[in-house]
Amino acid sequence: MPKSKPLPKHDWLSWLHQAPRRAKQIVLLLIDIFMLPVLFTLALSVRMGELDLPSKAQMLDVPLMIGLMVICALFTRVYSAVVRAFDEHYLQSALFASISWAMLLWIAASAGITHTLPRSVIIITGALLMLHFWVSRALIRTVLFVLLKRREQHTNLAVFGAGQAGRQIMAAAVGMAQYHLTGFFDDDPELIGTRINGLPVWSGRQAQRFIARLDIDEVIVAMPSVSRSRRRDIIDSLQKASGERDIHIRMLPGLDRVMSGDISLNDVQDIDILDLLGRDAVPPDLALFRHHVADRTVLVTGAAGSIGSELCRQLLTASPDTLVLFDHSEFGLYSIERELRASFPDATLVPVLGSVMDQARLERLMRHHHVETVYHAAAYKHVPLVEANPFEGVINNSLGTYHTAVAARDAGVETFVLVSTDKAVRPTNVMGASKRLSELVLQALAAEPIVPGTLGTCYAMVRFGNVLGSSGSVVPLFRKQISQGGPITLTHPDITRYFMTIPEAAQLVIQAGGMAKGGEVFLLEMGESVRILDLARQMIRLSGLSERTASQPDGDIEVVFTGLRPGEKLYEELLISDEGIEHTDHPLIYKAHERFYPLSRIEALFAEIAELALMRDTIGLKQLLLLSIHGYKPDFAAEDNSGCLDERPEDAMSIAAFEAELDLPYDEVQVTPV
C-alpha cells in the first residue's frame, strides 16, 4: 500500500494543489498573458529565420493581442477545463480559441487597426498559441503529479478489462494525484501487447508477474457485461496472482453508466458478495411468476421482514389486484408500506397489523378482501433467540402457521405457500424443528379430503437456505466488523452455508407457488455450499487488508472463533431423504414429497404443546419435538431465557403416554399427498 510521506499543510505546492478554482484560473491566465509576447517574438523569428525582436510599433499591438486572446479563451471555455482532467475536450476548446484569435487579429490587421503585423506572423503565432495551450497544461499537470506523488500517499492502480469501461475508468483516474496508473490486464489476444493512452495491456495470466514487479496496490475489474461466474474466476485469479500481497480488488457494477460514457471512480464499488459466490441469476419464468398473482388479491404475512418485504416488491411487479400486508410490527409495516407506495404509486395496498395466532381475525380479513393467494413468511428465524425462547418460537412459527393455514382454508383461499428453511431438515435447534412442524401442518392439511362444494386450498412449501443481506446475515456483519478494524467473529472454522440473494429467493418462491398442485415441498437450487471462514478471509483481502494471525501479527483484521451457538449446525441440508426428488419446469426449482402425519396427530401434538406451555416445560417440549420431528437433535443444555423450567414437573404427561395416544410414530408414517 502507499508508503510515501504526507503532504505538508503550508507551502507553495500545497497552496497550488488546494487553492480555489478561481485562483487557479487566474494563475493560468497570467501565464498565458506573459507567454503571448514571447510567442509573438518567436513567430517573428521563425518568419525571418533568425532572432527578430518586435519593433516599437509592433509592441503597441501586444495589448490588443492579449485582449483578443482573453476574450477568445473565455468564450471557448479554455479556463473552465480542469488541468488534471486534461483531455480531448480541452484540446478542442484550445484549438477553437487559437483559430478564433488568429481570425480576429487578421481582421484587425486588414482593417488597419494594427501596426504592420505580417499575416504569416499572425498564423504562426496562432499555431504557437495552440501549442502553448496544450504543452503548458500538460507540463503543469506532469510537474504537479510528479511532485505530489513524491510527497503524497498514492495507489498503484491497474484495470482488468481494456474495453470501453476500462478505458473510461483509466481516463477518470488520470486526473487524480492519489493514483499512479500502471496498465491494463485483459484476455483478448487482439489487445494484449498493445498500448492504450500510453498504458500497456498485459495478459491476465501475467498478473502475478506485474502485480509484484510494479507493486500494484489496487485492481479495478471493469467488465460489467460478463457473468457472475466469470467475475468470480477473475477475482480468484487476481487473488492467486497477488500471493502474499494485500491488493484491493474493486468492481465496476453495471452497464448503464458505461453506455452513457459517464463513468467516474465513484461508480466503482467493493466486490459484491455475489461475485465471490459466482451465482448467475436466472430470469423468472413470467408465466409461473404471474400465475397466482396477476389480477388477484394476495396476502403476505410477515410483510415487514427480510423475505416478506422482498416478496411484496416482487409481487407488485406481477400486477396483483390488491396486496394485503400483514405484520405484527407497527414500525416495520409503516416502513414497507411507505416504500411500496413510493415505488408503486398505482398499486392497491392494504396494511394490516395483527398476529398469525388470531385465526378468527385472519379468516375475517381473508373473507373481507376475497384473498386468493397467501404467502406465509411470518416467523421467528434467529436460531439462538428461538433456542433461548423455545415456546415463543414454536407457538409463533408452528401453531401460527396452523392458524393461518386453517383460516385460509375456511375463507376459501385458493393457494397457500409457506416460506420454509433448510434448517427444517434434521434440525439441531428449536427454530428448525418449528419450521419442520410448520411444513407438517401444510402436508397434513393438503392430504385432507376437500369439503364438498368447495375447490379446496392448494398448500405448498418452499425450502431454501440463507439469503444475503437479510437481518442477521453474516455478510453485512462481516462488512461492519471489517470497517471497524475487526475482529471478525465466527462460531466455528468448518461451518458452511448455502446462499442466495433476497430478490432471487423471493422470485423463486413466487414461481414455485405457481407450480403448486398440493402438498409438495419445493426446494430451491442453492448452488455450492460456502465455507464461512473462506468467505471472511476473501472479504478481508478484497478490502485491501490482511488477516492477523500468530504467524502474521502485524495483519489488519483478526478472525476470532467463539464456538457454536446453541442449536447451530456445521452444515445445512435441503432434503430429509434423497428419495423422490423431481425436476420441475424451472431449472432452479425441485420438488419432493416427504413423509408426514395425519391432521389428527398434528392437532393432538399442538394440544400437548399448549399443555407444556402452561407449565413452561422446556425439557418436555424438546422431548416432544424429538419424538415428532424426524432427525431432530435437541440441545437439552441450552440456556432458556424465558423463565421456563430446566426439569420436567412431576405432573407432566410422559412422552410414552403421549405416544400411546397417537396412531404411529413418525418413522412408520409415510403418506404421499396427491
Side-chain angles (χ1 to χ4, degrees), residues 304-327:
S306 301
I307 296 296
S309 60
E310 185 61 32
L311 275 172
C312 293
R313 297 182 192 101
Q314 298 289 341
L315 287 166
L316 287 174
T317 66
S319 305
D321 180 73
T322 303
L323 180 61
V324 182
L325 316 174
F326 190 85
D327 204 285

Side-chain angles (χ1 to χ4, degrees), residues 475-521:
V475 173
L477 174 63
F478 287 172
R479 283 199 181 118
K480 181 178 180 181
Q481 290 175 334
I482 290 172
S483 68
Q484 293 174 343
I488 283 182
T489 54
L490 268 81
T491 57
H492 194 281
D494 296 325
I495 197 166
T496 64
R497 289 292 182 267
Y498 293 100
F499 288 101
M500 68 167 46
T501 66
I502 296 179
E504 183 182 15
Q507 289 178 0
L508 291 174
V509 166
I510 296 169
Q511 292 172 89
M515 292 186 283
K517 302 298 182 184
E520 306 97 333
V521 177

Side-chain angles (χ1 to χ4, degrees), residues 89 138 182 205 213 226 241 255 261 318 351 395 406 476 561 573 620 640:
H89 299 294
T182 59
R205 286 176 289 198
R213 179 191 298 178
V226 299
L255 274 173
I395 289 171
V406 171
F561 299 103
E573 306 164 271
D640 194 320

Side-chain angles (χ1 to χ4, degrees), residues 428-500:
T428 58
N429 51 70
V430 175
M431 195 284 285
S434 72
K435 293 299 286 185
R436 177 55 189 150
L437 185 51
S438 300
E439 294 179 351
L440 290 170
V441 168
L442 293 201
Q443 290 174 295
L445 285 169
E448 286 289 291
I450 297 175
V451 176
T454 68
L455 295 176
T457 300
C458 175
Y459 294 101
M461 299 130 275
V462 183
R463 188 187 292 162
F464 55 91
N466 295 268
V467 287
L468 296 168
S470 64
S471 59
S473 174
V474 296
V475 173
L477 174 63
F478 287 172
R479 283 199 181 118
K480 181 178 180 181
Q481 290 175 334
I482 290 172
S483 68
Q484 293 174 343
I488 283 182
T489 54
L490 268 81
T491 57
H492 194 281
D494 296 325
I495 197 166
T496 64
R497 289 292 182 267
Y498 293 100
F499 288 101
M500 68 167 46

Side-chain angles (χ1 to χ4, degrees), residues 89-347:
H89 299 294
Y90 169 76
L91 294 179
Q92 291 174 5
S93 297
L95 178 62
F96 292 151
S98 302
I99 293 175
S100 301
W101 177 85
M103 291 177 61
L104 290 175
L105 196 59
W106 184 294
I107 293 171
S110 300
I113 299 175
T114 63
H115 300 78
T116 62
L117 275 181
R119 304 300 186 270
S120 58
V121 171
I122 294 175
I123 296 173
I124 296 171
T125 306
L128 292 175
L129 182 61
M130 168 60 199
L131 189 62
H132 161 72
F133 282 143
W134 177 20
V135 174
S136 63
R137 272 55 171 185
L139 185 60
I140 291 170
R141 185 185 66 177
T142 301
V143 170
L144 282 176
F145 281 6
V146 169
L147 293 177
L148 286 170
K149 285 181 178 181
R150 288 180 180 176
R151 304 165 62 183
E152 230 183 15
Q153 292 188 342
H154 65 272
T155 299
N156 293 326
L157 175 68
V159 171
F160 198 110
Q164 181 182 0
R167 297 175 191 186
Q168 290 182 43
I169 285 294
M170 276 300 196
V174 161
M176 306 186 73
Q178 66 266 38
Y179 286 110
H180 174 251
L181 309 185
T182 59
F184 296 90
F185 294 108
D186 206 289
D187 292 331
D188 186 344
E190 295 185 3
L191 292 175
I192 295 170
T194 63
R195 299 183 77 86
I196 298 176
N197 295 332
L199 296 172
V201 180
W202 307 299
S203 167
R205 286 176 289 198
Q206 296 176 297
Q208 183 172 3
R209 187 202 328 171
F210 286 102
I211 286 174
R213 179 191 298 178
L214 300 176
D215 201 23
I216 292 173
D217 302 306
E218 181 173 332
V219 178
I220 296 174
V221 180
M223 302 183 73
S225 61
V226 299
S227 66
R228 290 196 182 275
S229 56
R230 173 61 182 137
R231 290 189 200 179
R232 183 180 65 173
D233 292 340
I234 293 172
I235 293 167
D236 289 344
S237 68
L238 288 173
Q239 285 188 305
K240 291 177 183 177
S242 65
E244 297 300 319
R245 289 185 53 79
D246 302 314
I247 64 170
H248 189 185
I249 302 175
R250 295 198 291 161
M251 185 74 64
L252 184 66
L255 274 173
D256 50 345
R257 299 294 292 275
V258 178
M259 300 306 294
S260 68
D262 183 25
I263 288 182
S264 72
L265 287 175
N266 292 330
D267 297 310
V268 179
Q269 302 173 1
D270 285 333
I271 296 294
D272 188 332
I273 193 65
L274 282 177
D275 294 323
L276 296 182
L277 302 179
R279 186 180 178 88
D280 292 321
V282 175
D285 182 323
L286 293 181
L288 289 175
F289 194 74
R290 295 172 55 87
H291 183 57
H292 289 307
V293 179
D295 301 320
R296 291 174 174 245
T297 298
V298 181
L299 182 147
V300 177
T301 69
S306 301
I307 296 296
S309 60
E310 185 61 32
L311 275 172
C312 293
R313 297 182 192 101
Q314 298 289 341
L315 287 166
L316 287 174
T317 66
S319 305
D321 180 73
T322 303
L323 180 61
V324 182
L325 316 174
F326 190 85
D327 204 285
H328 74 287
S329 168
E330 179 192 23
F331 178 73
L333 192 61
Y334 164 78
S335 300
I336 188 61
E337 183 199 5
R338 284 198 63 186
E339 177 195 327
L340 296 177
R341 289 198 187 281
S343 302
F344 302 90
D346 298 328

Side-chain angles (χ1 to χ4, degrees), residues 15-141:
W15 178 88
L16 192 59
H17 181 60
Q18 300 173 2
R21 181 159 175 71
R22 183 67 63 188
K24 294 177 181 178
Q25 291 174 330
I26 293 173
V27 170
L28 291 174
L29 178 61
L30 293 175
I31 291 173
D32 294 342
I33 290 173
F34 171 79
M35 285 299 299
L36 188 57
V38 176
L39 298 176
F40 178 50
T41 302
L42 183 59
L44 285 171
S45 300
V46 169
R47 178 177 180 272
M48 299 302 296
E50 59 181 4
L51 181 62
D52 186 17
L53 298 177
S55 64
K56 291 182 179 180
Q58 290 172 332
M59 287 299 294
L60 295 175
D61 294 327
V62 170
L64 176 62
M65 295 181 191
I66 292 174
L68 291 176
M69 181 200 70
V70 171
I71 292 172
C72 293
L74 291 175
F75 181 77
T76 57
R77 303 179 65 82
V78 168
Y79 298 112
S80 297
V82 179
V83 172
R84 64 175 180 270
F86 181 70
D87 56 15
E88 66 272 11
H89 299 294
Y90 169 76
L91 294 179
Q92 291 174 5
S93 297
L95 178 62
F96 292 151
S98 302
I99 293 175
S100 301
W101 177 85
M103 291 177 61
L104 290 175
L105 196 59
W106 184 294
I107 293 171
S110 300
I113 299 175
T114 63
H115 300 78
T116 62
L117 275 181
R119 304 300 186 270
S120 58
V121 171
I122 294 175
I123 296 173
I124 296 171
T125 306
L128 292 175
L129 182 61
M130 168 60 199
L131 189 62
H132 161 72
F133 282 143
W134 177 20
V135 174
S136 63
R137 272 55 171 185
L139 185 60
I140 291 170
R141 185 185 66 177

